[in-house]
Amino acid sequence: MIYKHHSTLRQALMLACAAFLWINVAHAEAVDVSAFQTTSTMRDETKEVVGRLESSHYLGQTIADLDQNEFIADYMTDWDTQRMFFLETELADFQRRFSPSLDKMLSRGHLMPAFEIFLEFRQNVESRVSWVQKRLNEPFDFSGVTTYAPDRSEAEWPVSIAEANVLWERRLQFEMLNELLSLLEPGTDLNDLRELSPEIAKVTPDGVETTVEIEDGATQKTLDEALVEARENIGKRYDRLLRWVQEIEPIDVQETFLTALTHQYDPHSTFMSADTLEEFSIAMRNSLVGIGAVLSDTDGYCTIRELLPGGPAERSGKLKPEDQIVGVAQDNDGEMVDVIGMKLSKIVKMIRGKKGTTVRLKIRPGDGDPSVRKTITLTRDEIKLTAKLAKAEVFEVPAGDKTIAIGVIDLPAFYGSGEPGSGYNSTTEDVEELINKLKEIGVEGIVLDLRANGGGLLSEAIRLTGLFIPVGPVVQVRDYVGQVQEFLDDDPKVAWDGPLMVLVSRFSASASEITAGALKNHQRALIVGDKLTHGKGTVQAVFDMNRGGNWFTSLRPRKGAAKVTVQKYYLPDGSSTQIEGVKSDIVLPSINEYLAVGEGEFPHALAWDSIDSLEWDYDNSHVEDFLVNQSIVEQLQSQSQDRQGSLEEFGYLRENIDWFKARQEQKEFSLNLEERRSRRASDNDFRELMEGRYDTLAALNYTSDEILLNVTEEQNREHDALVAAQAQPADAADIPVGEIEIEEDAKKAAFDIQLREGLRIMADWIAIAQEAGESQALAAAPAGEPRS
């Protein structure tokens, strides 16, 4: 960057630095640093974490082996995710002071570097919030050509206060513009407003007396009122940020620091404080009541990472991964609380609540203009990973002048108790029950849908694989000392010996990848879906630090735990599922390819590798009619490619993907009000057009019948009887609008392009066998021929 007026700039910088430093000093006097000291419990926990990492982690590295400079930078980034509060000079200073001896301090349990870095961060936040509140009362010019890149997670920290001020100027303008756009009705013509006042482009505190409609409401406000509200919203947001920082306790700093340490080994190893460990235990018991969504903090925004099958969020059809929660309100009339920048744990507590109560969420969709907002209402329900059991559906798929019955088994997780006779449902037993029901109906092929299956019990993944093979290897597990354990299916019973397909996606993880990979190794199933599955091929163990159960140890302060990666999964052929996951034989177009959801997206993810394959005589005689070899893959792939190039639904899908990809790749956003309003209007037009095309395509859905487990049917009968007993005559007007909308959205979500193509591929496979005259035709290709 080149400046022409050096003397003027120098004076301005000196004044800015002086003002900024004065604010720092003023706030520093109020900072109580005495509490930020390493307690004896913290020292013991830190030493235990270090010990566990060095003795048990799969990598077998010591703390001294780590890049200490990178560790310090990552820890600073955990506090300053957008790299706007710290300066590059502060990073260099911390690295110079702490890197040479950081490993030794950690081994002794000392947390002094963690506290010093945090206190500097807190001081910087206090100073910057003071600057922000002052700047909010000054004019904003939205008529220029300036842009702003909100995602600075990979950027360098500013080198000076002057550079930081420029960044913050643009960030505030970006936030202010987003607030205004979220308040102003999208249909309002800015040119009409400009005719009433040419000052519309340069928004000032006193505003313009022009009436515009406000979203999500029938009332009208002046632009002046909208400006005041926008300033208030942003001001409150930064007040909340300040309170959050000032309320952070030493134990929070310790947890952040030790988690940054464990993440130097891999993204799944972590330190859990006593409170976090309690939350983890509750989650493992599957007894939380909420909306059924996995949330994470992304650049200060509460972001939906995953929707749990059967939860209120998934059933609504109104939420999807990458959507961001920017506001939370209780019941139907509670005040909407802005949660941007709020600590994730606090947001989670606001979303949770008693079963049957409602929560309203203000959502910023993960695609499109960042100013777009929508409000949805959800009824809280108990969320258990085993609550939504496996279910099936029989589809009648057109094949020439007839239809073919194909069964689809939807498996949301590998659930069970791990103990025979426990009374809990078992994944394997449930799927076997559904297979028997599908066989009675006379289906000619089965599709196992694992697209939303994030894993679960390894034992169930092994047993489930055994439903489709006689006996044989399923997975290998190697620990940190190199010992390999083989897990086999030793039950010769085969529940289904017909054509089998496994549908997968980037969300298919862990146990799902073991089942899909093993069936592929056995040439037993055709893998269809996203290019790769998630790629989580590691195993974690939780080491509780509250060891000992005598009276004396119970008087000590509660301790946390270390979750450490101790093993890796390998398929029977020796390949790891880490990073690369399981590759599909036939790839279908999907938006998932452009989501940052794979294991490889995480920093410090363990690398892919391989071990020796298992020597095994794969007896495939029971399914020789439907072995999957390269020859049949190529035939089915060619037919699918023809459809993908000609069918309207794939044209619709490609347009959606291209639009989404373009939005994902957009890093810079205009700070021009008129330009952003125009872009937002075009985005709305596109969405409306695509919704209309979707409704037209949905009419093409195949006819189907749902097949449920006996226990599910019994639960449904009990529920219907209860509803009937309590039913009272009511007019249609008594039905809450929100419930009607949820049902409509859920119905729309049923048009599943990837599943439809999977069914057509299965129909092609069956037709190839039938046209050959006898099933032996499919066994003509060598059974051992590998697939790429």
Side-chain angles (χ1 to χ4, degrees):
M1 187 179 296
I2 300 174
Y3 295 96
K4 295 182 179 180
H5 306 290
H6 298 287
S7 60
T8 304
L9 175 64
R10 190 179 299 111
Q11 293 174 1
L13 285 177
M14 290 175 63
L15 289 172
C17 290
F20 196 78
L21 289 173
W22 180 85
I23 294 171
N24 265 333
V25 171
H27 280 285
E29 294 175 355
V31 174
D32 178 18
V33 299
S34 61
F36 289 87
Q37 304 290 333
T38 305
T39 66
S40 59
T41 300
M42 289 179 179
R43 184 164 50 251
D44 292 344
E45 288 178 327
T46 301
K47 291 164 68 174
E48 284 198 59
V49 169
V50 170
R52 280 299 177 188
L53 288 172
E54 293 185 332
S55 65
S56 303
H57 194 278
Y58 186 83
L59 290 178
Q61 291 182 339
T62 66
I63 300 296
D65 294 329
L66 302 177
D67 185 332
Q68 308 300 329
N69 283 337
E70 185 176 4
F71 170 29
I72 290 173
D74 287 350
Y75 173 63
M76 292 172 64
T77 303
D78 285 342
W79 291 117
D80 185 10
T81 56
Q82 289 304 295
R83 302 194 172 196
M84 295 186 69
F85 290 103
F86 284 120
L87 297 179
E88 192 71 31
T89 52
E90 291 173 308
L91 169 65
D93 181 57
F94 288 137
Q95 290 175 333
R96 176 186 59 79
R97 291 171 53 201
F98 299 136
S99 290
S101 58
L102 189 56
D103 60 321
K104 297 181 181 63
M105 283 190 282
L106 282 166
S107 297
R108 294 168 185 158
H110 296 313
L111 296 172
M112 181 268 289
F115 293 139
E116 283 207 24
I117 292 172
F118 166 73
L119 289 172
E120 185 80 8
F121 170 71
R122 185 169 78 171
Q123 185 171 288
N124 290 354
V125 170
E126 291 172 339
S127 300
R128 182 54 68 182
V129 170
S130 178
W131 182 94
V132 166
Q133 298 294 16
K134 179 180 178 181
R135 176 63 187 87
L136 282 174
N137 291 320
E138 299 172 2
F140 289 87
D141 186 356
F142 297 124
S143 62
V145 295
T146 311
T147 61
Y148 178 68
D151 182 5
R152 287 183 42 80
S153 57
E154 301 296 328
E156 301 292 335
W157 274 288
V159 297
S160 65
I161 293 174
E163 183 180 325
N165 287 344
V166 172
L167 285 172
W168 276 96
E169 177 71 30
R170 293 187 180 183
R171 172 169 169 166
L172 275 184
Q173 192 168 352
F174 177 74
E175 292 179 328
M176 188 72 179
L177 185 54
N178 285 341
E179 286 295 319
L180 285 174
L181 288 171
S182 69
L183 292 171
L184 297 175
E185 176 67 31
T188 304
D189 190 345
L190 185 60
N191 289 323
D192 292 343
L193 300 180
R194 189 182 299 279
E195 289 177 4
L196 294 173
S197 173
E199 296 300 319
I200 180 67
K202 188 166 185 177
V203 180
T204 56
D206 51 353
V208 183
E209 291 298 327
T210 304
T211 300
V212 294
E213 291 187 11
I214 304 299
E215 285 188 36
D216 300 327
T219 61
Q220 291 194 335
K221 298 183 180 181
T222 64
L223 180 61
D224 177 55
E225 291 172 332
L227 290 169
V228 170
E229 185 172 345
R231 279 187 168 85
E232 288 179 351
N233 289 344
I234 296 174
K236 290 178 181 178
R237 189 175 303 160
Y238 281 96
D239 284 341
R240 186 166 56 251
L241 170 65
L242 182 60
R243 286 196 302 273
W244 169 72
V245 171
Q246 292 175 336
E247 291 172 358
I248 289 174
E249 299 179 355
I251 193 172
D252 300 318
V253 177
Q254 178 206 18
E255 185 168 17
T256 302
F257 189 64
L258 293 184
T259 296
L261 170 65
T262 58
H263 283 178
Q264 299 305 299
Y265 282 78
D266 80 291
H268 301 291
S269 294
T270 188
F271 167 73
M272 294 181 284
S273 67
D275 289 340
T276 302
L277 178 60
E278 184 176 354
E279 288 284 312
F280 178 77
S281 299
I282 292 173
M284 292 304 290
R285 292 197 298 269
N286 303 327
S287 60
L288 296 177
V289 173
I291 64 171
V294 177
L295 307 176
S296 67
D297 187 321
T298 304
D299 308 330
Y301 286 88
C302 177
T303 304
I304 296 174
R305 286 298 172 211
E306 181 183 347
L307 300 178
L308 298 182
E314 186 214 35
R315 295 199 306 266
S316 75
K318 297 179 179 181
L319 293 169
K320 59 183 182 298
E322 299 302 308
D323 283 352
Q324 296 173 330
I325 300 173
V326 298
V328 179
Q330 306 302 322
D331 303 318
N332 292 319
D333 55 358
E335 179 184 0
M336 183 66 69
V337 178
D338 187 308
V339 297
I340 298 175
M342 186 180 291
K343 193 174 181 179
L344 185 62
S345 59
K346 187 172 182 179
I347 300 174
V348 170
K349 289 180 180 178
M350 294 171 63
I351 294 174
R352 289 179 189 165
K354 293 182 179 180
K355 182 177 180 180
T357 60
T358 59
V359 60
R360 287 182 291 122
L361 305 178
K362 181 175 285 188
I363 301 298
R364 186 175 95 165
D367 54 9
D369 193 288
S371 68
V372 175
R373 303 288 188 271
K374 65 178 181 179
T375 301
I376 67 170
T377 300
L378 298 175
T379 300
R380 297 181 177 97
D381 200 357
E382 190 171 5
I383 307 302
K384 294 184 179 180
L385 295 181
T386 60
K388 188 182 181 187
L389 305 177
K391 66 179 182 180
E393 201 167 359
V394 177
F395 290 85
E396 296 295 332
V397 183
D401 57 355
K402 62 176 183 178
T403 60
I404 296 177
I406 298 174
V408 177
I409 298 176
D410 178 14
L411 183 61
F414 286 88
Y415 51 84
S417 67
E419 300 177 4
S422 63
Y424 286 89
N425 284 76
S426 155
T427 296
T428 306
E429 293 169 2
D430 287 353
V431 170
E432 185 174 10
E433 178 187 329
L434 292 173
I435 288 174
N436 290 333
K437 289 186 175 184
L438 293 174
K439 286 162 58 174
E440 290 177 5
I441 293 172
V443 299
E444 299 183 58
I446 288 181
V447 176
L448 183 62
D449 191 347
L450 301 181
R451 287 176 297 169
N453 191 316
L457 294 177
L458 173 64
S459 58
E460 289 296 335
I462 296 169
R463 293 180 61 212
L464 180 72
T465 303
L467 294 179
F468 307 102
I469 62 174
V471 290
V474 176
V475 67
Q476 306 181 73
V477 180
R478 185 170 70 173
D479 63 20
Y480 59 95
V481 296
Q483 294 180 333
V484 178
Q485 185 176 5
E486 303 168 4
F487 291 88
L488 311 175
D489 164 52
D490 55 8
D491 185 350
K493 179 177 62 176
V494 175
W496 175 256
D497 59 5
L500 176 66
M501 174 189 295
V502 179
L503 273 183
V504 296
S505 77
R506 291 291 276 170
F507 294 98
S508 306
S510 194
S512 292
E513 297 173 287
I514 291 171
T515 292
L519 290 173
K520 184 172 183 176
N521 277 190
H522 282 266
Q523 293 185 277
R524 182 60 191 94
L526 184 73
I527 313 300
V528 177
D530 292 351
K531 185 177 180 180
L532 299 172
T533 54
H534 183 83
K536 184 182 184 297
T538 59
V539 186
Q540 286 72 43
V542 177
F543 298 97
D544 193 336
M545 298 174 186
N546 291 294
R547 293 190 299 273
N550 58 45
W551 175 83
F552 180 73
T553 57
S554 68
L555 297 179
R556 295 175 180 174
R558 291 184 306 145
K559 288 185 178 181
K563 182 156 69 81
V564 178
T565 296
V566 295
Q567 297 172 321
K568 283 181 75 174
Y569 289 132
Y570 297 85
L571 296 175
D573 67 0
S575 63
S576 169
T577 57
Q578 177 67 9
I579 301 291
E580 294 191 5
V582 178
K583 298 178 181 178
S584 289
D585 295 310
I586 300 177
V587 177
L588 303 180
S590 169
I591 282 178
N592 294 339
E593 296 297 327
Y594 304 100
L595 295 176
V597 294
E599 178 77 4
E601 301 291 339
F602 294 107
H604 304 293
L606 297 189
W608 179 92
D609 64 346
S610 62
I611 60 177
D612 293 338
S613 61
L614 292 175
E615 294 184 4
W616 190 268
D617 182 14
Y618 291 90
D619 179 12
N620 293 316
S621 58
H622 70 296
V623 291
E624 59 185 359
D625 295 344
F626 292 105
L627 284 179
V628 181
N629 52 53
Q630 195 61 31
S631 175
I632 191 64
V633 168
E634 290 175 357
Q635 291 182 66
L636 297 175
Q637 190 176 57
S638 175
Q639 291 173 289
S640 178
Q641 287 295 327
D642 288 343
R643 283 190 295 269
Q644 293 180 37
S646 60
L647 292 181
E648 167 61 20
E649 62 195 71
F650 284 105
Y652 162 85
L653 182 57
R654 280 192 298 272
E655 286 188 51
N656 261 309
I657 292 173
D658 290 343
W659 187 84
F660 181 82
K661 180 182 177 182
R663 296 301 178 272
Q664 290 291 95
E665 292 175 348
Q666 181 180 358
K667 305 302 180 185
E668 298 275 345
F669 290 87
S670 171
L671 298 180
N672 183 289
L673 178 61
E674 198 166 357
E675 184 177 333
R676 285 284 299 280
R677 286 177 63 89
S678 175
R679 177 64 175 271
R680 176 169 166 166
S682 66
D683 285 350
N684 288 336
D685 290 342
F686 176 82
R687 288 192 182 93
E688 290 179 6
L689 175 64
M690 298 306 281
E691 285 179 6
R693 290 175 61 184
Y694 182 96
D695 292 340
T696 301
L697 290 169
L700 304 175
N701 260 334
Y702 299 139
T703 58
S704 65
D705 292 309
E706 192 173 45
I707 308 297
L708 301 176
L709 295 166
N710 292 335
V711 63
T712 305
E713 291 178 341
E714 182 178 350
Q715 290 173 352
N716 288 347
R717 285 193 295 270
E718 292 176 354
H719 177 268
D720 292 343
L722 181 63
V723 171
Q726 297 176 343
Q728 299 293 333
D731 296 330
D734 293 331
I735 302 175
V737 174
E739 294 183 10
I740 297 174
E741 292 176 348
I742 288 176
E743 291 300 324
E744 290 176 349
D745 285 352
K747 183 178 180 180
K748 282 186 177 182
F751 185 68
D752 189 334
I753 295 174
Q754 283 83 5
L755 175 59
R756 282 168 56 81
E757 180 58 18
L759 292 170
R760 287 188 287 250
I761 293 170
M762 176 63 78
D764 289 342
W765 190 1
I766 295 169
I768 289 173
Q770 292 175 341
E771 290 171 4
E774 55 182 4
S775 59
Q776 284 82 357
L778 283 178
E785 188 178 342
R787 287 187 279 158
S788 59

